[in-house]
Amino acid sequence: QVQLLESGGGLVKPGGSLRLSCAASGFTFSDYYMSWIRQAPGKGLEWISYISSSGNTRNYADSVKGRFTISRDNAKNSLYLQMNSLRAEDTAVYYCARGDSTGCPDYWGQGTLVTVSS
Amino acid sequence: QSVLTQPPSASGTPGQRVTMSCSGSSSNIGSNTVNWYQQFPGAAPKLLIYNNNQRPSGVPDRFSGSKSGTSASLAISGLQSDDEADYYCAAWDDSLNGPVFGGGTQLTVL
């Protein structure tokens, strides 16, 4: 069965950095687009980045462009999100998600909480 | 401010049929299919409907989706207390080149 397991969340000070990881299993990872989606406390879902199956194509929401970098290692079945220059408004649960044929998520991980606070 | 517009709340009594809407534009719902997700407090979203009206394996047929133009709807028939959750719509947006979500509808079973 498809499993996505995020890790790397935690408490970080404003301006700091954090790297999230997502370990995938139960499907051929290299065949799928992958996305990071976040949910601030008590708020809705916000897509922040996707990466193509090969890693050649990436896109970002304006809210994180220039600060966050998505990457993947198909040999390790892993997805990553490097987050720099973190702000209080980046506080959220970050989900790793597999993209369906349209690019929208079908399977989601359980999420990892990132808290940006001094 | 979410790109897709959903009513913040909906409610119904057990056994009733409830519907919730999702409004978008020509760059998202108008030109791409719609997914719906169910999310319980403290849990990750789960795919409920894909390709406007298809149910993944394991999703009861009480849940149904439809799309017309730049709007979509999710219907739940035979409402149960276990259906109390947040429901989100999503579609790919050709202008933003990424998926966009609605703000979510919180369903209360009275």
Side-chain angles (χ1 to χ4, degrees), chain A residues 33 35 37 39 42-47 50 57-60 62 95 100 102-111, chain B residues 2 32-33 35 37 39 42-47 50-51 86 88 90-92 96-104:
Chain A
Y33 272 53
S35 283
I37 296 158
Q39 186 171 34
K43 302 296 185 182
L45 302 167
E46 179 191 15
W47 167 79
Y50 79 76
T57 302
R58 311 170 197 211
N59 197 24
Y60 301 90
D62 287 345
Y95 295 102
D100 67 11
T102 71
C104 284
D106 53 9
Y107 288 92
W108 301 65
Q110 88 291 345
Chain B
S2 300
N32 296 295
T33 60
N35 286 3
Y37 306 91
Q39 185 181 36
K46 169 194 159 188
L47 182 65
Y50 68 98
N51 196 20
D86 293 328
Y88 292 90
W92 187 266
L96 297 177
N97 197 22
V100 290
F101 293 90

Side-chain angles (χ1 to χ4, degrees), chain B residues 64 67 95:
Chain B
S64 61
K67 182 185 117 171
S95 297

